Amino acid sequence: MNLAIIGSGGREHSLCYKLSKSRIINNIYCIPGNAGTKEFGKNLKADINNFNQLYNIIRDYKIDFIVVGPEVPLVNGIVDFFHKKKIKIFGPNRKASRLEGSKVFLKKFCKKFKIPTARYKEIKNIKQAKNFLNYLNLPVVVKSDGLAAGKGVTICYSKDKAIKDVKNILEGKFKSSKKVIIEEFLQGEEVSYFLITDGKNFKSLGTAQDHKRIGEGDTGLNTGGMGAYSPSLIMNKKIEEKIINKIIKPTIKGMSNIKSTYKGILYAGLIIFQGEPKLIEYNIRLGDPECQVLMMRLKSDLFKLMSFSMNNKLKNSKIYWKKKFSITIVAANKGYPNNFKKNTIVKGLKKIKQSENRKLFHAGTTFNSKSQIVASGGRVLNATVCSKSLKQARKIALDMLKKVNWKNKYFRKDIGFKVIN
Ligand code: AMP
Ligand code: GLY
C-alpha cells in the first residue's frame, strides 16, 4: 500500500515515523513534508489546499490512502473531495469538521446536547457586547468564529479590550468569518484529551499537556506550542469517566444525530476545575506538538486503528501503550512567534543519538541549494523522548537540543515545570 501524509510540521514527521512501522505500508509520501520526513520516503511539492493539484499527485504516485495532518484542508472538505474520487482518506468530512471550523457551531452544539462548556453569547453588534459584558466577571474570552491559525482567541482583562477585539472581528479582521462570541473565562487546569472514533465507538488516544507560551514559566506571547508531555498528570480515572460520559459520548452521538457523523481523531481541549471537566474547544486532528509525544508512547499499529475507524470496526480493537512518560521540546527560530530570520543553516544533527525512545522530529526545515538543512519556519525541531520518568525524559531531550549547532536556536528549558520536582 502507498500512503500519503499531508502537512509539513513536527506532527507530520512523527506520523511518518509511526506509520512507517506498519507492515502493510510499502511507500510513504509526504506532501509537502520537511527535511526530516525525507528519511521515511519521498517529499512531494503541492499546495495542500488545492485539491485538484493534490489529486493529480495522488493518481500519478498511485497513492491508496491519505492521512491529513492540519485542520485547514479538513475544514475545507478534503475528505468529501477524495471520497468522491474513491480514494481512501482518513479524517472527518466537511460537516463533521465544523466542530473546529466554527466556534458558533460548537457552542450551539454543546447547548443542544447539554455538554458542559463556558457560558457564552454570539455577538452581532457592539451594543450586545456591552450588555453581555455586564453579566460576566473579568477576564472574558473573545473568540472569532472561524479558523484563525491560533490567533482567533483573546483573553481580555478589561471591557474596553474585549469591545475592541469584538469590533475588529465584526469588521472582518479574520477572513474565515465575521462572527464572534464572548464567553466566560474558566479557571482551572487545561488538559488535552485525544480519541479515535468510527462515528459510533471510540478509543482513547491518551492525554497530553501543551505549553503554549514562548517564555519559561508560561510567560510571553502565545505560540503553536513550545513543548508537551504525556500522559497528563492531573488526570485520574474519575475525571476521565466524567470527560467520557459528559463530553465525548454526547458529542459522538450528537454528531450522528445531526447527520454529521464524526470519523477520525478528535482532540478535546478541556479545563478541569475542582474535578469537573468543561470543554473549551474541539480540534479535528492531532495537536502539534502533542502528536509527537503520543506517537512515542503508542505501541499499537496506527494504520490499523485508522482503518478500523474508517470501516466501523473500532469497537473490538485494543490500544497498547508504553508504560513510560514522554516529552517533546520545541526548538524555535529566535524571534518566533514574531519575525525571525529564515534559512539559517542547522548543523550537528547526525551526531545526535536517536533510538526507539529518542527522536529528533523536524518541523520548519528544508534543504538549501547545497543540500544543507536550513531552518525555514518558526518551530524547527522537536526533541522527543520516552523514559521512565518525566524528569529523565526532559534531561535527555535538553541534551539533544544542546548538541544542535544552529545560531538561531531558542528553546524552553522548563517544559513540564508544573509537575517535575
Ligand atoms: P481555543 O482556540 O478555543 O482553544 O482557545 C485557545 C486557548 O485559549 C485555549 O487553549 C485556552 O488556553 C484559552 N481559552 C479558550 N477559551 C477559554 C475559556 N473559556 N476560559 C479560559 N481559557 C480559555
Ligand atoms: N498545540 C496545539 C494545537 O495543535 O492546536
Side-chain angles (χ1 to χ4, degrees), residues 242-353:
K242 285 184 186 169
I243 293 172
I244 290 172
N245 291 321
K246 295 184 175 186
I247 298 175
I248 305 303
K249 284 185 176 168
T251 298
I252 294 173
K253 206 158 170 232
M255 289 301 277
S256 169
N257 282 352
I258 61 165
K259 300 196 167 39
S260 301
T261 300
Y262 191 97
K263 276 172 179 277
I265 283 166
L266 188 60
Y267 155 179
L270 305 158
I271 298 250
I272 317 289
F273 184 63
Q274 296 179 337
E276 286 299 322
K278 284 191 179 173
L279 179 73
I280 49 174
E281 65 165 341
Y282 270 132
N283 294 307
I284 54 169
R285 51 176 173 83
L286 281 155
D288 187 343
E290 295 94 323
C291 177
Q292 291 83 311
V293 282
L294 297 179
M295 291 307 113
M296 288 298 271
R297 288 184 48 238
L298 181 63
K299 278 209 282 196
S300 301
D301 183 327
L302 180 64
F303 178 74
K304 276 193 188 158
L305 292 173
M306 290 176 165
S307 301
F308 290 154
S309 153
M310 288 170 65
N311 300 319
N312 309 324
K313 287 194 175 142
L314 266 178
K315 191 173 180 191
N316 298 320
S317 65
K318 224 174 144 55
I319 303 188
Y320 296 94
W321 298 92
K322 291 182 195 165
K323 291 199 169 50
K324 287 184 177 183
F325 293 92
S326 66
I327 199 163
T328 187
I329 304 177
V330 173
N333 231 321
K334 242 177 238 163
Y336 170 80
N338 288 325
N339 295 337
F340 52 83
K341 213 167 148 187
K342 277 194 176 180
N343 299 327
T344 43
I345 297 168
V346 182
K347 285 189 193 153
L349 302 188
K350 286 208 178 102
K351 283 194 214 130
I352 295 168
K353 192 182 136 204

